[in-house]
Amino acid sequence: MKLLVVEDEMQLADALSEILKRNMYSVDVAYDGNEGLDNALTGLYDGIILDIMLPGMNGIDILRTLRAAKVNTPVLLLTARSEIEDKINGLDCGADDYLTKPFITGELLARVRAMTRRKGEIVDDNSMGFNGLELHKNTCSISWKGNDVKLSLKEFQIMELLMANPKQILPKERIIEKIWGYESDVEYNNIEVYISFLRKKISAISAPVQIKTARGIGYSLE
Ligand code: CA
């Protein structure tokens, strides 16, 4: 899952990014409102953690602009205790939830899970699944009927993306944007390599799931 953190307090932004990365999210950080809006408008993210008081454009205006542009990425607003008005305003403008600073890591992660808990077949907070094949965040592995196999981080992220969009062709460009970032110079054959590793691992545990190739387009989980 790919998250965007928009927060101008650098220490807090970097701490957030660190915590989220340790929990298997890929994270982009924007330190001001304009950059945050530009990133958010790409629609590439599974969730946005958005501070309200920001240089450039404030969080509420970013949220309003996003919703007006029909970007429906879930948004978790970061608010200070004194910003009750902003909180109400934010929820009215289409925020999905808010988190009051200061917060503890457990609460942050729970709110992020709730915010992104919309797609795929969810097994529990740490796992998602497709046709009996389960993907486990805490162990970075896939399992089927008690057999499991470890995944690398990129393999995990690709599998998560496929599971969140089952039986749909995911274009290679989309996979690259989501996992490596839209400015990356990763080539299509890098993805092919990861897909072939994943296929071997899926067949190693005999799971009844296939990653099909849509020639010239991308991949789908079937
Ligand atoms: Ca701020």
Side-chain angles (χ1 to χ4, degrees), residues 88-115:
I88 296 165
N89 221 337
L91 292 170
D92 284 346
C93 291
D96 297 76
D97 199 0
Y98 60 86
L99 183 60
T100 306
K101 296 192 266 191
F103 46 81
I104 57 166
T105 302
E107 186 182 9
L108 165 74
L109 292 173
R111 301 255 181 203
V112 170
R113 279 198 300 271
M115 164 170 80

Side-chain angles (χ1 to χ4, degrees), residues 7-9 51-55 101:
E7 166 63 75
D8 59 312
E9 290 163 54
D51 188 29
I52 291 183
M53 298 292 280
L54 290 164
K101 296 192 266 191

